[in-house]
Amino acid sequence: MSDQVNRFLGDSLGRTLIKLVVVSLIVGFVMTVFGLTPWNIIYGFRDFILELWHRGFAALGRVGDYLLLGATIVIPLFVILRLFSYRR
């Protein structure tokens, strides 16, 4: 059992715990310097997804506007070009 745990962790249990404590202290210090908290990260991710969702539907609305605007030029030109090629 101990050999499987060591293989899973990559080292002994004690050394792995010490490494995790040291890395956690360093990451915690860096996050404090930048003013980050775990809740800020979670809320930031949530806000990013919501903003992406809302902007995505706004972009679809703009695509419809662009489609109608372009169609006012493209469709009459298409009809005119088809009429001229029909006569040949």
Side-chain angles (χ1 to χ4, degrees):
M1 179 74 171
S2 176
D3 196 35
Q4 290 176 343
V5 172
N6 288 347
R7 199 168 353 141
F8 175 74
L9 295 175
D11 209 349
S12 69
L13 181 61
R15 285 181 169 208
T16 303
L17 287 175
I18 291 172
K19 289 177 187 178
L20 289 174
V21 167
V22 169
V23 171
S24 294
L25 284 171
I26 292 169
V27 170
F29 175 75
V30 170
M31 287 177 67
T32 302
V33 167
F34 288 110
L36 294 173
T37 64
W39 290 114
N40 286 346
I41 294 171
I42 292 170
Y43 290 142
F45 181 73
R46 183 198 64 179
D47 292 342
F48 171 74
I49 296 298
L50 289 174
E51 188 69 22
L52 188 63
W53 179 268
H54 294 302
R55 288 186 186 265
F57 283 113
L60 287 177
R62 284 193 306 268
V63 167
D65 293 343
Y66 295 154
L67 181 66
L68 289 174
L69 185 62
T72 59
I73 302 296
V74 171
I75 291 184
L77 285 175
F78 174 77
V79 170
I80 291 170
L81 290 173
R82 294 299 291 171
L83 287 173
F84 282 131
S85 68
Y86 181 73
R87 291 185 178 181
R88 288 185 186 176

